[in-house]
Amino acid sequence: TAQARWRPERPKDDEGQVLPWDQLGCDVAGGGADCAVIAPRVGEYFGELRVKPGRETPDAAASAEFIEKVMDEEGGVPFVDANGIGASTYHLLKGKRRTAVAYLGSASTAWRDRSGLLTFRNVRSAAHWALRDALDPASGRELALPPGRNLRADLTATRYSSESRTVKLEDKDDVKKRLGRSPDEGDSVVQAWWR
């Protein structure tokens, strides 16, 4: 499995230098019971998740600072969940002339699955399916995900439905009810893989 394949050492280039992160999946908390999570990725390797309780990132400024610290020390382009409370964090990063991408889960997308047959209701549905496709052993990919029960539960808890070959992910509130918490770790990994 992807978690069994994981090792703590980040990949290196041909000269033995540690590779900077390509992408940072950033799930913003904005206080409350949820956690702020950054999932760093280079190629098919996902680094150890950076997790902070919501009380440590109570507002957009604290969330932006959390993301900037990882960017400055380790590189990577942040894909910030910019629906809802994450929008302010995204705009703060962009306002500082930082490279950041707004991950808009509710936006429409023309992305199709590996077979080319399935379409998706929105980016959130497509992004989850894209990771699902990549984790399928038949894909030929060798994703390496950090170990952790929460991450495994987050990525396997979400249910799909389809109508006329259009896939819809269940509402996040339904996932929260089933897990008893927000799937923050899984969401950050999905964002780190979405391109």
Side-chain angles (χ1 to χ4, degrees):
T1 69
Q3 286 187 314
R5 196 180 290 126
W6 190 82
R7 299 291 177 267
E9 300 81 23
R10 198 185 326 171
K12 297 179 180 178
D13 63 19
D14 294 338
E15 296 172 1
Q17 298 297 312
V18 172
L19 291 169
W21 301 119
D22 293 329
Q23 196 161 314
L24 307 171
C26 304
D27 191 51
V28 177
D34 295 355
C35 289
V37 183
I38 299 174
R41 179 186 63 78
V42 57
E44 296 183 351
Y45 176 86
F46 290 76
E48 189 172 346
L49 303 180
R50 280 46 168 197
V51 181
K52 282 194 175 198
R55 67 182 175 278
E56 292 182 27
T57 56
D59 54 33
S63 296
E65 185 179 317
F66 178 37
I67 295 166
E68 286 184 298
K69 187 173 190 311
V70 176
M71 290 173 71
D72 291 342
E73 293 176 1
E74 305 176 50
V77 175
F79 277 55
V80 182
D81 184 356
N83 283 122
I85 60 171
S88 297
T89 300
Y90 166 74
H91 288 293
L92 274 177
L93 291 169
K94 291 297 282 185
K96 293 180 179 181
R97 298 183 185 216
R98 302 299 304 244
T99 302
V101 175
Y103 171 87
L104 297 168
S106 61
S108 61
T109 178
W111 187 85
R112 289 181 176 258
D113 75 320
R114 197 168 70 236
S115 73
L117 298 174
L118 298 177
T119 59
F120 297 84
R121 180 176 181 204
N122 53 28
V123 166
R124 180 173 171 263
S125 300
H128 274 262
W129 197 275
L131 183 64
R132 179 185 183 275
D133 260 359
L135 289 169
D136 181 348
S139 73
R141 295 186 173 275
E142 294 194 352
L143 271 64
L145 293 174
R149 295 174 68 191
N150 281 357
L151 177 58
R152 186 169 49 253
D154 290 358
L155 294 177
T156 57
T158 305
R159 297 177 182 160
Y160 304 87
S161 62
S162 67
E163 186 177 318
S164 302
R165 292 190 180 171
T166 297
V167 175
K168 176 190 174 201
L169 203 63
E170 71 178 322
D171 290 337
K172 190 169 180 177
D173 286 343
D174 293 331
V175 180
K176 285 181 173 184
K177 285 177 192 169
R178 201 164 42 260
L179 286 174
R181 58 177 173 75
S182 180
D184 304 315
E185 293 186 14
D187 286 348
S188 67
V189 166
V190 166
Q191 291 163 217
W193 184 251
W194 182 248
R195 302 175 197 205

